[in-house]
Amino acid sequence: MLLWRIGASALPTKVNLSRRFDHIDSTCILCNNAEESPIHLFFGCPFTRAFWASACWGLRIETSSLVTDEDIIKLILIPPNSPFPSHDQWTISLNMALIIDEIWGTRNLIQFQEGIADIHLSKKNVQTRFLEYSRVFSVSSALPAVQPTPVWTPPPHGWIKLNVDAVLNSSKSALAVVARDHQGEVLYIWGCQHHLCSPSQAEASSILWAVKLALQEHWKSIIDEGNAQVCFDALSSQDHILDWNICTIINNIRSLSSSFVSCKFRWIKRNSNSAVHSAARIALNSCQQYCFNKSNIPPPLKSVCMEDSSLCSFVCV
C-alpha cells in the first residue's frame, strides 16, 4: 500500500501537502536542507543516503535517474545492475521496499512523536523484517538424506585465512577474496571485475590481490588458499619452473609475502572453495567493486558461507 501511494503521488509528503494546502513548510524534517519530495525523502536526503549504504549492501542510488514518483517504484521492482542471479533478485526488491517503509516510519516518528533518526536501529529493524519475510517466501528445498561434511577448515589461532578464486566469461574476468579467522567468522568478502586474461593469470591475480588486501588490513599471519594448482605449486616451491604468463605476478606475490610475520600458500580442491567461487560469480555480474563485512553480507553469500563450514553456521547469522 505504501508503494502504491508513492507511485500514485498520494503519499502526504510535505511537497505533496503544499500543493493542496497553503502555508505548509515543505522542508525535509530529516535534514532541514531541502524540500521533502518523495525522491528527496527516500533517496536524496543525507540521512537516507547513509541508511541505504548501510542497510542495502552498500547500494548507492543516483537521484538524477529519478524524475517522477513512478520511477521510485520501477527502481524497486527492477533494481539496477543487480549482482545477484535472477532467481535471487526478489530479495533485493524486498529489502528495498522494507527500507522505504522504514524511512517513512522514521520520518513520521520525528514528525509526530518527536523521535530521533537512528540508522543503527533502523538497520536492525529492516534486517529483522527481511529475515521474517524471506523465510516465508523463499522456496524451500528438501534436505539431502546425507548431510555433506564441512569442507572448509579454519586457520590456527591468530591467523587469517584468505580463500581466493577467479572466474571468466567471453569478455572479462572477476576476482574474489573471502577472509575468515580461526573461529570461522567471515571478516570480509571482496569482489571486483578484472580484464580479460588467461585463467591462470586471473587466478594468480586473485592471490596477489588477497596479499595486498591483507597488507592493508595489517594482518601479520595469513594463509592464502585456492584451487588454482598451477599457481599454488609455483608459490610453494622456489625451484618450481614458472609458467611464463604468470611469472611476473608470482614474483610480485613472493616479494609482498615477505612483509608478513608468516605467510603460507595452500592448494585445495574446488569443493573446498565454494564460498569464494560464489563471490567471484557475483563480482562477474556486478558493475562495481564490492566489499562486504560480517554485518552486511548478502543472503546468497551468507548461505554459501554457512554451507561451506559448520563453524560459519554459528557466526554468520
Side-chain angles (χ1 to χ4, degrees), residues 189-230:
I189 300 178
W190 292 279
C192 72
Q193 288 190 2
H194 193 62
H195 61 268
L196 184 61
C197 57
S198 70
S200 59
Q201 286 176 322
E203 295 282 5
S205 296
S206 69
I207 302 171
L208 177 60
W209 190 34
V211 171
K212 290 179 177 179
L213 291 169
L215 287 173
Q216 291 177 14
E217 297 299 323
H218 305 291
W219 292 327
K220 301 299 183 183
S221 300
I222 66 168
I223 298 174
D224 274 282
E225 196 172 71
N227 55 270
Q229 188 166 9
V230 64

Side-chain angles (χ1 to χ4, degrees), residues 36 88 153 235 272 275 281:
E36 188 192 74
D88 286 325
T153 57
L235 289 165
S272 301
R281 298 297 306 178

Side-chain angles (χ1 to χ4, degrees), residues 18 43 60 79 140 151 205 211 275 307 313:
S18 66
F43 298 102
R60 288 174 173 80
S140 60
V151 291
S205 296
V211 171
E307 294 171 2
S313 65

Side-chain angles (χ1 to χ4, degrees), residues 284-297:
L284 192 66
N285 296 318
S286 179
C287 64
Q288 57 185 355
Q289 179 175 321
Y290 66 75
C291 173
F292 303 125
N293 59 37
K294 59 186 177 182
S295 66
N296 70 349
I297 302 173

Side-chain angles (χ1 to χ4, degrees), residues 5 8 17 25 28-29 53-54 76 82 91 105 112 129 135-136 161 168 182 184-186 201 213 224 276 299 304:
R5 294 172 75 188
L17 290 174
D25 179 9
C28 172
I29 199 168
S54 172
I76 295 172
S82 169
T91 62
F112 302 112
R129 295 179 65 193
R135 288 193 188 104
V136 173
K161 179 177 282 190
L168 301 90
H182 69 282
E185 184 171 6
V186 178
Q201 286 176 322
L213 291 169
D224 274 282
V276 70
V304 75

Side-chain angles (χ1 to χ4, degrees), residues 17-68:
L17 290 174
S18 66
R19 294 169 181 164
R20 295 168 173 81
F21 303 99
D22 296 329
H23 311 299
I24 295 292
D25 179 9
S26 61
T27 305
C28 172
I29 199 168
L30 293 176
C31 68
N32 295 312
N33 287 325
E35 288 190 325
E36 188 192 74
S37 66
I39 292 176
H40 170 80
L41 175 63
F42 294 115
F43 298 102
C45 176
F47 168 80
T48 56
R49 290 179 70 86
F51 183 35
W52 276 105
S54 172
C56 199
W57 310 308
L59 181 66
R60 288 174 173 80
I61 299 170
E62 295 299 328
T63 55
S64 59
S65 63
L66 304 174
V67 178
T68 67

